[in-house]
Amino acid sequence: MANDVLWNMAMKKVFRVTEAKAQFSRLLRRVAAGEEITITKRGVPVARLLPVEGQKDKRQLGFYEGKFTIPDDFDAPLPDEILDAFEGKVKPRRKKA
């Protein structure tokens, strides 16, 4: 009898909110294994648990090594006229027609 209950639970893909709350960790393991789970409230589907698709691999450090260089003055203060333009203190010049 207990095995039948466990078997039915393992095959079940639709859960009421109360069932999902009580078994959330177990449902997450099933979703991580590739299953889709539907959660209902009063018989109406309200949510679906889906596995995350295509998680990207970690970036490889040093991938662009030697392909470009960062200038020594990269973080030097900007010239006043450029800083003023960023801060809106200088109106942009208009080209003469």
Side-chain angles (χ1 to χ4, degrees):
M1 175 79 176
N3 287 337
D4 291 340
V5 172
L6 290 175
W7 175 256
N8 288 336
M9 236 165 150
M11 299 305 295
K12 191 172 178 180
K13 302 244 183 214
V14 179
F15 291 84
R16 295 186 309 264
V17 171
T18 53
E19 293 174 314
K21 284 171 58 176
Q23 305 174 41
F24 193 67
S25 294
R26 185 176 298 146
L27 294 179
L28 287 180
R29 283 193 295 274
R30 288 176 56 179
V31 169
E35 289 187 56
E36 292 184 12
I37 304 290
T38 302
I39 300 173
T40 63
K41 185 173 186 177
R42 296 184 179 152
V44 178
V46 293
R48 191 176 330 150
L49 298 176
L50 304 170
V52 176
E53 293 182 22
Q55 288 184 337
K56 296 181 179 179
D57 295 334
K58 288 186 177 181
R59 291 186 292 177
Q60 178 183 354
L61 295 177
F63 185 75
Y64 288 106
E65 187 174 356
K67 296 187 179 181
F68 67 91
T69 57
I70 298 173
D72 291 334
D73 65 347
F74 170 76
D75 57 352
L78 292 171
D80 288 338
E81 61 272 7
I82 294 176
L83 187 58
D84 288 345
F86 270 108
E87 294 176 348
K89 295 179 182 175
V90 177
K91 292 183 180 179
R93 296 184 202 169
R94 293 186 181 167
K95 294 183 179 179
K96 294 182 181 179

